[in-house]
Amino acid sequence: MNHRLMAIECHRFIREHMQLLLRRVQAAGKMSSVNWNGSLMSRLVALAIAFVLLTGCAYGRKIDYAHSYPALPAALTQAVEVQVVDMRPYVLSGNKNGTFVGLTRGSYYIPYDVNTRSGQPLANDLRAALLGGFERKGVPAQGAEAGATAASKPDALLLAVSVHEWKSEAAIGEILTYSLRAELIDEAGQRLATAQARGSDRVYDHGQAGQSALASLLAQPTLVRAFGGEVEIDTAQNEPAQDAPVRKAAAELFIPRLGRDGVY
């Protein structure tokens, strides 16, 4: 959603809540007609604007994860090809689009979808972030196709990342819950290492939260050793991914049970 559409949605949000306030005042017998020049209307306008500021104008919110470049724990000895696949169950089922990255709550705890700022699927944004992290470390890196099962050349490794959960939730507080799995694969299709990173953390800055989640995956010891040239073929080639729900952070979300969205 561009800025013009966001402004339209915010305007509609203000109008709807002003109308609601007017109906409540009229129902209470305190106002028989709308007087746009009166002090009462001024107060209603001020209340509506304050309400919008408190809720953050939930419509059309965007988050940029494409620039959440993670820090790398060690130097790499080979080029890297990065693949990211979105395995979130609500995306695979079609309940949410691939651009979906979270929920924010407006009035009455009604949830509104939060999407990527780029308009690209989350998998694309996370791939861009990982590539940026490698490039800043001086590591040759390029994107790999979603269907790739091996590195394209002998002097490269395929980093295949699957996203099993990535969703922020905002009401009063905000958290980011994520579950990531990585496989490091050589040009022969042999899996050299696997790693998982799962967490649920309070969000103060979305860019830094995304950066920390990706960095926690790359910092897993199995990946660090394999990236450093300590190659040990992973014999558990058919090990299933763990997709159990992640225990969520105890942030001040204040979301009543009846207001929950059912995505999780």
Side-chain angles (χ1 to χ4, degrees):
M1 183 180 293
N2 59 32
H3 294 297
R4 180 174 179 274
L5 291 178
M6 186 184 301
I8 293 173
E9 292 290 354
C10 287
H11 176 75
R12 185 176 68 180
F13 183 75
I14 295 171
R15 186 180 66 245
E16 288 175 352
H17 283 83
M18 286 184 64
Q19 290 172 346
L20 177 62
L21 287 169
L22 288 172
R23 287 197 297 269
R24 288 181 175 177
V25 172
Q26 288 174 335
K30 295 180 180 179
M31 183 176 184
S32 58
S33 62
V34 178
N35 178 9
W36 291 94
N37 295 318
S39 61
L40 180 57
M41 179 53 63
S42 298
R43 292 177 183 177
L44 289 174
V45 171
L47 284 172
I49 293 174
F51 194 86
V52 170
L53 292 175
L54 287 173
T55 58
C57 194
Y59 295 104
R61 190 177 177 192
K62 308 288 185 182
I63 296 177
D64 178 17
Y65 288 119
H67 296 89
S68 294
Y69 307 130
L72 302 182
L76 278 66
T77 60
Q78 291 178 273
V80 178
E81 298 170 357
V82 179
Q83 172 196 92
V84 180
V85 179
D86 196 336
M87 299 296 292
R88 293 177 293 174
Y90 42 84
V91 173
L92 295 179
S93 69
N95 186 22
K96 297 293 184 183
N97 294 324
T99 59
F100 172 80
V101 294
L103 296 168
T104 188
R105 308 279 170 169
S107 57
Y108 312 112
Y109 291 100
I110 297 172
Y112 298 95
D113 286 1
V114 179
N115 292 284
T116 58
R117 180 171 296 173
S118 66
Q120 296 293 314
L122 172 65
N124 291 14
D125 277 10
L126 295 184
R127 183 177 66 177
L130 287 166
L131 288 173
F134 287 121
E135 291 168 356
R136 279 157 178 72
K137 194 72 172 182
V139 178
Q142 65 181 41
E145 296 297 327
T149 58
S152 64
K153 49 191 177 182
D155 60 343
L157 294 174
L158 171 64
L159 177 66
V161 177
S162 54
V163 182
H164 296 272
E165 180 62 290
W166 189 288
K167 177 160 68 76
S168 64
E169 297 170 72
I172 304 301
E174 187 161 9
I175 61 175
L176 172 64
T177 303
Y178 62 91
S179 178
L180 305 171
R181 177 183 171 89
E183 298 180 352
L184 198 61
I185 307 170
D186 64 15
E187 79 284 356
Q190 294 187 104
R191 191 167 65 186
L192 308 180
T194 61
Q196 288 185 325
R198 310 170 79 221
S200 186
D201 305 305
R202 185 70 183 268
V203 172
Y204 298 97
D205 177 273
H206 287 97
Q208 292 180 359
Q211 184 181 51
S212 297
L214 294 175
S216 69
L217 178 65
L218 297 179
Q220 296 301 308
T222 53
L223 285 183
V224 173
R225 289 195 297 270
F227 277 135
E230 298 180 29
V231 176
E232 181 178 346
I233 302 300
D234 186 351
T235 57
Q237 296 291 318
N238 296 317
E239 177 188 353
Q242 297 181 11
D243 55 1
V246 182
R247 183 178 180 83
K248 294 186 178 180
E252 298 82 356
L253 294 178
F254 297 119
I255 301 173
R257 184 170 298 276
L258 291 177
R260 296 177 184 173
D261 62 281
V263 168
Y264 56 92

